[in-house]
Amino acid sequence: MNIKNLSLKSILDEDWVFEPNFNYADVSGSAQLYGFDSVILYRKEDEKDICVVRFHAISHYDKKLFYIVNKLIADMGLDIKMGDPLSKMIKKYGTPTFVYYVEEDYKKYYWRYPSDFYDYHDIFYIVYYHYLLSPDLLICFGVPKSDNRITDLEIVNDQKIISEIMEARREIKEYEKAMYQPKECLRFVKQRIENRKIIGITCKNIRFIKMEIENCYIEGIETEDIKICKCLFRNVIFDNHFKIGCISIEQCQFINCVFHDTFEENYIQLDNNLFQNCLFERIRMEEEGILNANRNRFSRCIFKEIRWNGEGVFCGSKIKEGMMEHIFYKTDDISYNHFSNIQMEHIEVELEKEGVGLFDNQFNTITFHNVTVKGPVEDTHFVDCDTTGLSLMGI
């Protein structure tokens, strides 16, 4: 197996990138890169030979990338290629020296299954098989658990780098062992729940995928990581106190729901959701929290008695035909939103000086009463609004 003389230049012309300052396993060097780091050919500082080859998230859906990687594998003289089944790897190399599991960032893999959805345990649960063939030769294969076909390959022929890699990954495996075991993730997938009082769900990781929940009361969820995707909630009351961890909600519908949740050191991500005829009341966020909300729609919703003292962005959303009252909202960025037919009363918005501020928003038919905005305001338009109760205080 020869990786020393591999080069992207011979097969890619100008599409690849040379990075003169590139660290691999905390060892300085340089690298040839292609496809957002899908391909890495690395050499140590002051050396001319390639000592690390890494291919990441490779499948036949990107035919050019698939061809390039398999061409490089053939040039190395390795009798295996991307897309080969796990059984071929086991037959050729036998029992691996070391195995560890990673929940990969789903954005790297979701396009491989265009008709499917994010699933913690199945599609994006990646198994990495390490074969230490000699002190200076490591081969590592990455295989998604869902289809058992090779998508990742790493070859290292430098003893120092191998030592760094194996030590770091063994530490990661021990540290995150509990997090990635299936028993540590509670999943609700493609079920219908109605007329229930759901209290005290406790698990490190919780997933709601393509659920329909109606006429329910949800209280006392305790988790460090909850993800809700493509669900429908109708006539549901939420009353939870989240202390730490991540909350991700995407492509969901909330109809006639009530939210009384409070948050502390949480990171909240809201993407492409619909909230219709919902009540947000007595919502609290402490200073350590972050909210990033993008491309959401709020129709005929009421927001009242809210104190949101965090960071983050509220962008690209549509809010129409509702009411907002008695609100304190601190954030970095409110931009590219469209507000229409809303009554706003007793509201204070505080925008960070270093943030984007109130930028490129459209307000149509809004009545402002005792509303104060502190911070940068730019390219924001008011059409058919009663602004006598609006105060803009640039910082």
PDB file of all heavy atoms in Angstrom, residues 173-189:
ATOM      1  N   LYS A 173     -14.007   7.761  23.562  1.00  0.00           N
ATOM      2  CA  LYS A 173     -14.915   6.624  23.736  1.00  0.00           C
ATOM      3  C   LYS A 173     -15.295   6.452  25.190  1.00  0.00           C
ATOM      4  O   LYS A 173     -16.461   6.210  25.517  1.00  0.00           O
ATOM      5  CB  LYS A 173     -14.257   5.350  23.207  1.00  0.00           C
ATOM      6  CG  LYS A 173     -15.166   4.130  23.297  1.00  0.00           C
ATOM      7  CD  LYS A 173     -14.529   2.910  22.673  1.00  0.00           C
ATOM      8  CE  LYS A 173     -15.459   1.705  22.778  1.00  0.00           C
ATOM      9  NZ  LYS A 173     -14.875   0.496  22.142  1.00  0.00           N
ATOM     10  N   GLU A 174     -14.341   6.587  26.086  1.00  0.00           N
ATOM     11  CA  GLU A 174     -14.639   6.438  27.509  1.00  0.00           C
ATOM     12  C   GLU A 174     -15.502   7.588  28.021  1.00  0.00           C
ATOM     13  O   GLU A 174     -16.446   7.382  28.773  1.00  0.00           O
ATOM     14  CB  GLU A 174     -13.325   6.371  28.312  1.00  0.00           C
ATOM     15  CG  GLU A 174     -12.543   5.092  28.095  1.00  0.00           C
ATOM     16  CD  GLU A 174     -13.347   3.857  28.474  1.00  0.00           C
ATOM     17  OE1 GLU A 174     -14.011   3.872  29.532  1.00  0.00           O
ATOM     18  OE2 GLU A 174     -13.337   2.896  27.690  1.00  0.00           O
ATOM     19  N   TYR A 175     -15.182   8.797  27.578  1.00  0.00           N
ATOM     20  CA  TYR A 175     -15.897   9.977  28.074  1.00  0.00           C
ATOM     21  C   TYR A 175     -17.346  10.000  27.597  1.00  0.00           C
ATOM     22  O   TYR A 175     -18.258  10.373  28.323  1.00  0.00           O
ATOM     23  CB  TYR A 175     -15.172  11.233  27.602  1.00  0.00           C
ATOM     24  CG  TYR A 175     -15.819  12.514  28.055  1.00  0.00           C
ATOM     25  CD1 TYR A 175     -15.696  12.944  29.378  1.00  0.00           C
ATOM     26  CD2 TYR A 175     -16.553  13.310  27.169  1.00  0.00           C
ATOM     27  CE1 TYR A 175     -16.278  14.115  29.802  1.00  0.00           C
ATOM     28  CE2 TYR A 175     -17.142  14.485  27.591  1.00  0.00           C
ATOM     29  CZ  TYR A 175     -16.994  14.880  28.905  1.00  0.00           C
ATOM     30  OH  TYR A 175     -17.587  16.036  29.325  1.00  0.00           O
ATOM     31  N   GLU A 176     -17.558   9.596  26.339  1.00  0.00           N
ATOM     32  CA  GLU A 176     -18.895   9.706  25.756  1.00  0.00           C
ATOM     33  C   GLU A 176     -19.592   8.351  25.612  1.00  0.00           C
ATOM     34  O   GLU A 176     -20.602   8.232  24.929  1.00  0.00           O
ATOM     35  CB  GLU A 176     -18.805  10.379  24.392  1.00  0.00           C
ATOM     36  CG  GLU A 176     -18.245  11.794  24.492  1.00  0.00           C
ATOM     37  CD  GLU A 176     -18.231  12.485  23.149  1.00  0.00           C
ATOM     38  OE1 GLU A 176     -18.304  11.792  22.119  1.00  0.00           O
ATOM     39  OE2 GLU A 176     -18.154  13.717  23.135  1.00  0.00           O
ATOM     40  N   LYS A 177     -19.061   7.349  26.260  1.00  0.00           N
ATOM     41  CA  LYS A 177     -19.598   6.005  26.100  1.00  0.00           C
ATOM     42  C   LYS A 177     -21.093   5.953  26.398  1.00  0.00           C
ATOM     43  O   LYS A 177     -21.883   5.403  25.630  1.00  0.00           O
ATOM     44  CB  LYS A 177     -18.845   5.051  27.017  1.00  0.00           C
ATOM     45  CG  LYS A 177     -19.259   3.606  26.870  1.00  0.00           C
ATOM     46  CD  LYS A 177     -18.398   2.723  27.760  1.00  0.00           C
ATOM     47  CE  LYS A 177     -18.808   1.265  27.625  1.00  0.00           C
ATOM     48  NZ  LYS A 177     -17.984   0.404  28.501  1.00  0.00           N
ATOM     49  N   ALA A 178     -21.476   6.525  27.514  1.00  0.00           N
ATOM     50  CA  ALA A 178     -22.903   6.477  27.895  1.00  0.00           C
ATOM     51  C   ALA A 178     -23.766   7.260  26.925  1.00  0.00           C
ATOM     52  O   ALA A 178     -24.882   6.869  26.607  1.00  0.00           O
ATOM     53  CB  ALA A 178     -23.075   7.011  29.309  1.00  0.00           C
ATOM     54  N   MET A 179     -23.241   8.357  26.417  1.00  0.00           N
ATOM     55  CA  MET A 179     -24.038   9.232  25.556  1.00  0.00           C
ATOM     56  C   MET A 179     -24.466   8.540  24.270  1.00  0.00           C
ATOM     57  O   MET A 179     -25.577   8.752  23.781  1.00  0.00           O
ATOM     58  CB  MET A 179     -23.227  10.483  25.213  1.00  0.00           C
ATOM     59  CG  MET A 179     -23.950  11.439  24.287  1.00  0.00           C
ATOM     60  SD  MET A 179     -22.971  12.914  23.984  1.00  0.00           S
ATOM     61  CE  MET A 179     -24.045  13.785  22.841  1.00  0.00           C
ATOM     62  N   TYR A 180     -23.617   7.682  23.722  1.00  0.00           N
ATOM     63  CA  TYR A 180     -23.904   7.121  22.421  1.00  0.00           C
ATOM     64  C   TYR A 180     -24.507   5.716  22.461  1.00  0.00           C
ATOM     65  O   TYR A 180     -24.754   5.144  21.434  1.00  0.00           O
ATOM     66  CB  TYR A 180     -22.635   7.104  21.563  1.00  0.00           C
ATOM     67  CG  TYR A 180     -22.183   8.492  21.221  1.00  0.00           C
ATOM     68  CD1 TYR A 180     -20.978   8.990  21.682  1.00  0.00           C
ATOM     69  CD2 TYR A 180     -22.993   9.311  20.468  1.00  0.00           C
ATOM     70  CE1 TYR A 180     -20.590  10.278  21.377  1.00  0.00           C
ATOM     71  CE2 TYR A 180     -22.610  10.598  20.161  1.00  0.00           C
ATOM     72  CZ  TYR A 180     -21.401  11.071  20.618  1.00  0.00           C
ATOM     73  OH  TYR A 180     -21.022  12.345  20.310  1.00  0.00           O
ATOM     74  N   GLN A 181     -24.711   5.172  23.637  1.00  0.00           N
ATOM     75  CA  GLN A 181     -25.367   3.885  23.704  1.00  0.00           C
ATOM     76  C   GLN A 181     -26.859   4.058  23.469  1.00  0.00           C
ATOM     77  O   GLN A 181     -27.480   4.987  23.975  1.00  0.00           O
ATOM     78  CB  GLN A 181     -25.124   3.232  25.068  1.00  0.00           C
ATOM     79  CG  GLN A 181     -23.657   2.905  25.311  1.00  0.00           C
ATOM     80  CD  GLN A 181     -23.087   2.034  24.213  1.00  0.00           C
ATOM     81  OE1 GLN A 181     -23.682   1.050  23.813  1.00  0.00           O
ATOM     82  NE2 GLN A 181     -21.914   2.394  23.706  1.00  0.00           N
ATOM     83  N   PRO A 182     -27.502   3.157  22.708  1.00  0.00           N
ATOM     84  CA  PRO A 182     -28.922   3.289  22.406  1.00  0.00           C
ATOM     85  C   PRO A 182     -29.791   3.416  23.644  1.00  0.00           C
ATOM     86  O   PRO A 182     -30.790   4.112  23.629  1.00  0.00           O
ATOM     87  CB  PRO A 182     -29.224   1.996  21.627  1.00  0.00           C
ATOM     88  CG  PRO A 182     -27.923   1.635  20.997  1.00  0.00           C
ATOM     89  CD  PRO A 182     -26.873   2.045  21.983  1.00  0.00           C
ATOM     90  N   LYS A 183     -29.431   2.763  24.745  1.00  0.00           N
ATOM     91  CA  LYS A 183     -30.263   2.823  25.943  1.00  0.00           C
ATOM     92  C   LYS A 183     -30.305   4.235  26.527  1.00  0.00           C
ATOM     93  O   LYS A 183     -31.176   4.534  27.333  1.00  0.00           O
ATOM     94  CB  LYS A 183     -29.734   1.846  26.996  1.00  0.00           C
ATOM     95  CG  LYS A 183     -28.348   2.206  27.539  1.00  0.00           C
ATOM     96  CD  LYS A 183     -27.877   1.189  28.546  1.00  0.00           C
ATOM     97  CE  LYS A 183     -26.489   1.552  29.097  1.00  0.00           C
ATOM     98  NZ  LYS A 183     -26.015   0.583  30.089  1.00  0.00           N
ATOM     99  N   GLU A 184     -29.359   5.093  26.133  1.00  0.00           N
ATOM    100  CA  GLU A 184     -29.333   6.448  26.646  1.00  0.00           C
ATOM    101  C   GLU A 184     -30.160   7.398  25.799  1.00  0.00           C
ATOM    102  O   GLU A 184     -30.161   8.589  26.029  1.00  0.00           O
ATOM    103  CB  GLU A 184     -27.891   6.953  26.721  1.00  0.00           C
ATOM    104  CG  GLU A 184     -27.044   6.244  27.752  1.00  0.00           C
ATOM    105  CD  GLU A 184     -27.510   6.507  29.164  1.00  0.00           C
ATOM    106  OE1 GLU A 184     -28.046   7.610  29.415  1.00  0.00           O
ATOM    107  OE2 GLU A 184     -27.358   5.624  30.004  1.00  0.00           O
ATOM    108  N   CYS A 185     -30.815   6.893  24.773  1.00  0.00           N
ATOM    109  CA  CYS A 185     -31.650   7.740  23.925  1.00  0.00           C
ATOM    110  C   CYS A 185     -33.071   7.183  23.899  1.00  0.00           C
ATOM    111  O   CYS A 185     -33.294   6.031  23.532  1.00  0.00           O
ATOM    112  CB  CYS A 185     -31.090   7.796  22.499  1.00  0.00           C
ATOM    113  SG  CYS A 185     -32.056   8.854  21.409  1.00  0.00           S
ATOM    114  N   LEU A 186     -34.018   8.016  24.294  1.00  0.00           N
ATOM    115  CA  LEU A 186     -35.424   7.635  24.281  1.00  0.00           C
ATOM    116  C   LEU A 186     -36.054   8.197  23.022  1.00  0.00           C
ATOM    117  O   LEU A 186     -36.053   9.406  22.800  1.00  0.00           O
ATOM    118  CB  LEU A 186     -36.113   8.190  25.526  1.00  0.00           C
ATOM    119  CG  LEU A 186     -37.585   7.831  25.732  1.00  0.00           C
ATOM    120  CD1 LEU A 186     -37.755   6.325  25.851  1.00  0.00           C
ATOM    121  CD2 LEU A 186     -38.122   8.523  26.971  1.00  0.00           C
ATOM    122  N   ARG A 187     -36.589   7.300  22.162  1.00  0.00           N
ATOM    123  CA  ARG A 187     -37.108   7.713  20.866  1.00  0.00           C
ATOM    124  C   ARG A 187     -38.603   7.458  20.762  1.00  0.00           C
ATOM    125  O   ARG A 187     -39.091   6.375  21.121  1.00  0.00           O
ATOM    126  CB  ARG A 187     -36.384   6.956  19.741  1.00  0.00           C
ATOM    127  CG  ARG A 187     -34.925   7.308  19.613  1.00  0.00           C
ATOM    128  CD  ARG A 187     -34.225   6.379  18.644  1.00  0.00           C
ATOM    129  NE  ARG A 187     -34.291   5.001  19.083  1.00  0.00           N
ATOM    130  CZ  ARG A 187     -33.490   4.482  20.003  1.00  0.00           C
ATOM    131  NH1 ARG A 187     -32.564   5.245  20.564  1.00  0.00           N
ATOM    132  NH2 ARG A 187     -33.609   3.221  20.346  1.00  0.00           N
ATOM    133  N   PHE A 188     -39.314   8.468  20.240  1.00  0.00           N
ATOM    134  CA  PHE A 188     -40.719   8.320  19.900  1.00  0.00           C
ATOM    135  C   PHE A 188     -40.819   8.580  18.396  1.00  0.00           C
ATOM    136  O   PHE A 188     -40.585   9.702  17.946  1.00  0.00           O
ATOM    137  CB  PHE A 188     -41.582   9.320  20.664  1.00  0.00           C
ATOM    138  CG  PHE A 188     -41.480   9.190  22.164  1.00  0.00           C
ATOM    139  CD1 PHE A 188     -40.499   9.868  22.876  1.00  0.00           C
ATOM    140  CD2 PHE A 188     -42.366   8.388  22.857  1.00  0.00           C
ATOM    141  CE1 PHE A 188     -40.406   9.756  24.251  1.00  0.00           C
ATOM    142  CE2 PHE A 188     -42.287   8.265  24.239  1.00  0.00           C
ATOM    143  CZ  PHE A 188     -41.297   8.945  24.939  1.00  0.00           C
ATOM    144  N   VAL A 189     -41.137   7.560  17.623  1.00  0.00           N
ATOM    145  CA  VAL A 189     -41.096   7.668  16.161  1.00  0.00           C
ATOM    146  C   VAL A 189     -42.425   7.193  15.569  1.00  0.00           C
ATOM    147  O   VAL A 189     -42.889   6.082  15.845  1.00  0.00           O
ATOM    148  CB  VAL A 189     -39.935   6.833  15.576  1.00  0.00           C
ATOM    149  CG1 VAL A 189     -39.884   6.971  14.061  1.00  0.00           C
ATOM    150  CG2 VAL A 189     -38.606   7.267  16.191  1.00  0.00           C
TER     151      VAL A 189
END
